[in-house]
Amino acid sequence: MTRTSRFSSVPGVRKLERRIATQMGLADRIPFFQPHLGINGASIDLGEGPLVNFSSYNYLGLSGHHEVSSAAKAAIDLYGTSVSASRIVSGEIPLHRELEQEIAQFLGAEDCLVFVGGYNTNVTTIAHLYGQRDLIVYDELSHNSLMSGIQLSKSERVAFPHNDVAALDGLLSERRGDFGRVLVVTEGLYSMHGDLPDYERLLATCRRHDVDLMVDEAHSIGVLGATGRGIGEFSGLPPGGMDIQMGTLSKSLASCGGFIAGDASLIRYLRFLAPGFIFSVGLPPADAAAALAALRVLKREPQRVKRLQENSMAFRRCVHEAGLAVDTQGITPIVSIVIGDQYECMRISHELLQLGVHVQPVIYPAVPINGALLRFFISADHTMAQLEMAAGKLAGLLMARNAMG
Ligand SMILES: Cc1ncc(COP(=O)(O)O)c(C=O)c1O
């Protein structure tokens, strides 16, 4: 006899069950949580052989790189699979500081602190640093982890229109004087549409109003600038301009975790007191070693970053030449094709899968209800033939559907 779940009458649970049933009825499948075999790189195997893959933020192809995997295995042999304690008590291993110092040096920051998750890094950092008397002004498209940190901080909060520095300036002119401390939150590369902030103006605006600037560089480190140092390098500015530089270990750095880079007193304050750091286990040895090895490959082989940028521009060109609207001036490895209806988006993703191209649909609540999109993540390891093939299949499919009305 099946037992009725104590949660089946919760409104959110009922709503989800209805959405899944509708999706099964309309598209026969749920395109989420599909396990893959092997490495999630420029190609992927979902169980029926290799597909050209655009669903992974393994931007530089370092997850699966032999040096990175070997370093992780060696760390397990030395330290086991867990550090088995918070770092502040007995969970510290030499790899933690080595990784932090190399990230800080890479970014031109005084110091750095690594956390067990990128999401948690944003939540605990913002909530620890700002409180009820402060103001946080954030880009309206800020990632959910930033929003969670902002909410948890209990600061007064106000959004500015996406990438609108003039609006931010206006807001700060109006409200700055009412608060002692003010934080402005943006991202180095926006992960839904792959667009960039006007970092130079943003930084100048923050300096003029004497407010703190936090930039989430989850998708820009390893990606932007000649050597992958992020939005500052891309903008031609000296390192260390922003007050709080956040990054993840899970994307270009082929591991799991997040970090904050900044001045020594900021990092010390987080290291000794941030709840999501001190009340959580230290980064596992394999993850620390993998990120460190990946960073060393990135420093040694900046040509990976160049290849990623060339591939990103080439894919945009191919999509444009195949007859679809795309920002051909864009240089970032996130190329989003807006479809609109979520079920249509899921069906197109499935049809592409059958043609050998794996691209994930992004639907509500990650985007507005009628703003479903196919998000192509480009990798340094994609070949020109793969990029051309995928652009051709995508254009063929969309144009055939348009012709059918
Ligand atoms: C902009 C941004 N910030 C933070 C995160 C969280 O990072 P992680 O997945 O490493 O926890 C993500 C995740 O994709 C992200 O896109």
Side-chain angles (χ1 to χ4, degrees), residues 12-290:
V13 173
R14 290 219 310 267
K15 198 167 159 198
L16 175 70
E17 299 300 342
R18 276 201 304 274
R19 280 189 83 192
I20 291 175
T22 310
Q23 163 59 19
M24 287 304 285
L26 288 175
D28 261 357
R29 66 189 275 281
I30 307 288
F32 307 113
F33 298 106
Q34 295 175 85
H36 62 86
L37 312 175
I39 291 154
N40 196 0
S43 64
I44 193 168
D45 185 351
L46 299 180
E48 291 175 12
L51 302 160
V52 182
N53 187 32
F54 294 92
S55 299
S56 125
Y57 39 57
N58 186 4
Y59 291 120
L60 301 176
L62 295 178
S63 173
H65 187 285
H66 64 98
E67 278 176 47
V68 177
S69 301
S70 301
K73 288 175 204 166
I76 289 177
D77 288 343
L78 210 51
Y79 300 109
T81 50
S82 173
V83 295
S84 307
S86 168
R87 285 174 57 187
I88 197 168
V89 278
S90 65
E92 183 90 6
I93 55 174
L95 273 174
H96 289 142
R97 280 307 282 156
E98 233 181 297
L99 172 61
E100 287 167 348
Q101 281 161 354
E102 283 210 27
I103 293 174
Q105 189 194 38
F106 180 66
L107 297 176
E110 274 181 18
D111 206 351
C112 168
L113 184 67
V114 296
F115 300 73
V116 286
Y119 191 100
N120 172 48
T121 304
N122 278 336
V123 174
T124 202
T125 298
I126 298 174
H128 183 57
L129 290 175
Y130 299 90
Q132 271 169 354
R133 292 156 178 243
D134 304 323
L135 172 68
I136 302 184
V137 187
Y138 59 94
D139 187 290
E140 63 180 347
L141 295 191
S142 292
H143 190 261
N144 183 276
S145 54
L146 295 164
M147 293 311 304
S148 294
I150 293 168
Q151 278 155 13
L152 188 63
S153 76
K154 299 198 175 68
S155 300
E156 174 102 13
R157 55 180 192 265
V158 50
F160 64 92
H162 181 50
N163 271 346
D164 189 339
V165 185
L168 169 68
D169 192 22
L171 253 164
L172 290 173
S173 300
E174 211 177 291
R175 312 274 323 258
R176 194 305 149 243
D178 299 337
F179 296 86
R181 295 179 63 225
V182 177
L183 172 69
V184 171
V185 175
T186 65
E187 295 180 23
L189 191 171
Y190 280 86
S191 62
M192 275 312 152
H193 295 277
D195 55 329
L196 300 174
D198 183 343
Y199 176 64
E200 192 171 354
R201 275 182 67 210
L202 201 60
L203 184 61
T205 303
C206 289
R207 292 295 81 106
R208 189 154 24 82
H209 289 279
D210 188 26
V211 300
D212 304 338
L213 174 62
M214 174 174 186
V215 184
D216 176 335
E217 295 226 61
H219 292 271
S220 41
I221 285 172
V223 168
L224 294 182
T227 60
R229 285 170 163 83
I231 188 71
E233 184 183 27
F234 171 79
S235 309
L237 297 177
M242 59 193 85
D243 305 290
I244 307 171
Q245 186 170 21
M246 182 271 175
T248 56
L249 305 180
S250 59
K251 296 170 176 71
S252 292
L253 294 180
S255 181
C256 179
F259 65 83
I260 297 291
D263 71 41
S265 52
L266 163 73
I267 299 303
R268 201 173 311 113
Y269 185 50
L270 294 172
R271 188 187 303 285
F272 279 89
L273 292 173
F277 180 76
I278 59 172
F279 297 111
S280 188
V281 71
L283 191 70
D287 292 332

Side-chain angles (χ1 to χ4, degrees), residues 374-398:
L374 294 171
R375 180 169 54 168
F376 289 79
F377 283 111
I378 310 301
S379 157
D381 284 348
H382 279 127
T383 63
M384 200 54 212
Q386 288 175 322
L387 300 174
E388 278 169 359
M389 180 279 239
K393 301 274 185 217
L394 172 71
L397 244 174
L398 292 186

